[in-house]
Amino acid sequence: MKSYTLSDLASINENETKPARFAVIGNPVQHSLSPQLHQPALDSLGIDARYVRVEVESGKVAEAFDQLFEAGFLGINVTVPHKLEALEACHAVDPAAASMGAVNTIVFDKDGKRTGFNTDGPGFARAIREEFSVDLGDLKVIIIGAGGGAGRAIATQCIIENCSQVILVNRTLEKLAPLKDQLTELISREDLEGPRDRIEIMSLDDPQLESAIDASELIINTTSVGLNSADPSPFPSRWVEPHHLVYDTIYNPARTRLLRDAEAQGARIANGLSLLLHQGALSLEYWLNQDAPLGAMREGVQTALKG
Ligand code: ATR
């Protein structure tokens, strides 16, 4: 499947049977699996529309939204590196997305005014329910890599869900103090229940990390460590025990070193495919106001990953 640029918009429907109505923007965007997730969904719902990739340069996100609306697009997903710029280019932003500091879903109203949402956080909560049959809010959580974009979205969701423990871990500790402040402010602003001191921050080489992992029920990897098959686990995986649930946001490779080790130690494991699926399903629900066909979406993305 090819990618387009904004200069292709004028001719994007030439020689095509279905009009382009949904897009993911990013740079680069060629790697995005969103079309393989969304096109089967649109097809299975009988919606006469194409979902395409559009490469957009940094600094041009607002302009891209204007042009896409003018070209008849109904909904947009946003991927790296544009999630913050997209937030700034919205007329209204969902409060949870504002706390996450990132927007991955744009909904246009009839005048082209755009509202930004972040479906990564809520999609993660759905993924945990699907994978482990438990509510995220009932778990004590530790997030390894909380300084990155995915880690921040998931940390925010953990606060929204009222997790009683949220330990934020990052190689670069300095990134975590501002995040902790924002999450603490979110707790006060939204008047969320639960202990005020539930958020802890820790660097990846903190000697207390082993005991922090031991005290946790759900271990989440949001670092990029594991994207290469030869990567080690982001922390010593011998610390994983059978009582742990281990979620790696990486889905390709399907089993990172962390997941392989964790499984061998008797923990329950899941990879990021369910997060990819549910964040996409939630985007579709925002655009179409109906339930997403999860089966078609799952099959589409699994086929793409095999190919
Ligand atoms: P994003 O696009 O999600 O923001 P990113 O900036 O590449 O992704 O960062 C993802 C996470 O992986 C970060 O938490 C990053 O840690 P730093 O904040 O210290 O950079 C983490 N990460 C990347 N490489 C790592 C490594 N070799 N060891 C530990 N953590 C690593």
Side-chain angles (χ1 to χ4, degrees):
M1 231 182 281
K2 65 189 255 193
S3 301
Y4 296 95
T5 64
L6 292 178
S7 54
D8 296 321
L9 288 183
S11 58
I12 199 163
N13 293 324
E14 275 174 19
N15 304 318
E16 296 284 351
T17 49
K18 295 177 181 181
R21 293 277 177 259
F22 301 91
V24 55
I25 67 162
N27 190 9
V29 75
Q30 185 57 43
H31 66 279
S32 169
L33 286 178
S34 291
Q36 285 95 331
L37 197 60
H38 286 286
Q39 192 65 55
L42 295 170
D43 294 346
S44 102
L45 293 171
I47 293 170
D48 193 32
R50 258 153 66 234
Y51 185 109
V52 299
R53 299 185 183 92
V54 180
E55 190 175 289
V56 172
E57 287 167 34
S58 290
K60 300 217 161 151
V61 170
E63 189 183 317
F65 290 154
D66 287 339
Q67 291 187 28
L68 287 160
F69 178 73
E70 285 302 313
F73 280 73
L74 304 172
I76 310 294
N77 280 135
V78 181
T79 188
V80 283
H82 296 326
K83 291 184 183 185
L84 173 60
E85 195 182 332
L87 185 151
E88 288 162 352
C90 283
H91 301 97
V93 176
D94 174 64
S99 296
M100 291 171 197
V103 151
N104 75 340
T105 302
I106 302 290
V107 179
F108 291 118
D109 75 5
K110 61 179 181 13
D111 301 317
K113 292 254 177 304
R114 42 203 181 242
T115 303
F117 297 90
N118 190 316
T119 65
D120 289 330
F124 180 73
R126 284 196 187 181
I128 291 301
R129 168 132 287 284
E130 178 193 304
E131 299 282 8
F132 301 128
S133 307
V134 61
D135 284 330
L136 176 59
D138 290 337
L139 295 170
K140 291 185 176 140
V141 174
I142 187 162
I143 303 170
I144 313 291
R152 184 172 166 176
I154 289 172
T156 308
Q157 193 67 30
C158 291
I159 295 301
I160 291 170
E161 306 273 334
N162 268 327
C163 293
S164 62
Q165 172 207 290
V166 183
I167 303 178
L168 311 173
V169 183
N170 208 49
R171 177 180 57 179
T172 315
L173 184 64
E174 298 79 68
K175 290 190 187 170
L176 295 182
L179 176 60
K180 183 180 176 182
D181 289 347
Q182 279 156 1
L183 295 178
T184 306
E185 202 230 293
L186 176 70
I187 293 172
S188 313
R189 183 165 28 105
E190 302 291 315
D191 207 14
L192 295 170
E193 293 165 13
R196 297 277 142 172
D197 57 353
R198 73 184 107 163
I199 308 168
E200 276 180 57
I201 61 175
M202 193 174 276
S203 89
L204 199 49
D205 57 8
D206 191 308
Q208 298 299 315
L209 182 59
E210 181 176 2
S211 58
I213 285 179
D214 187 49
S216 304
E217 293 159 326
L218 174 64
I219 305 171
I220 307 158
N221 176 43
T222 55
T223 74
S224 45
V225 181
L227 277 175
N228 295 315
S229 319
D231 281 351
S233 170
F235 62 89
S237 45
R238 63 177 184 280
W239 295 346
V240 177
E241 293 182 24
H243 74 270
H244 284 127
L245 308 174
V246 182
Y247 194 96
D248 199 326
T249 54
I250 294 171
Y251 53 82
N252 191 15
R255 274 163 188 251
T256 57
R257 162 61 62 187
L258 168 63
L259 289 189
R260 281 181 279 144
D261 290 351
E263 187 174 45
Q265 271 147 241
R268 291 168 67 196
I269 61 163
N271 76 16
L273 200 65
S274 45
L275 169 56
L276 177 71
L277 178 70
H278 287 289
Q279 61 78 32
L282 277 160
S283 293
L284 206 73
E285 290 172 20
Y286 276 123
W287 298 327
L288 304 178
N289 265 321
Q290 60 178 300
D291 286 347
L294 283 177
M297 297 178 88
R298 198 187 306 269
E299 207 182 306
V301 80
Q302 278 170 344
T303 307
L305 285 170
K306 272 187 221 138

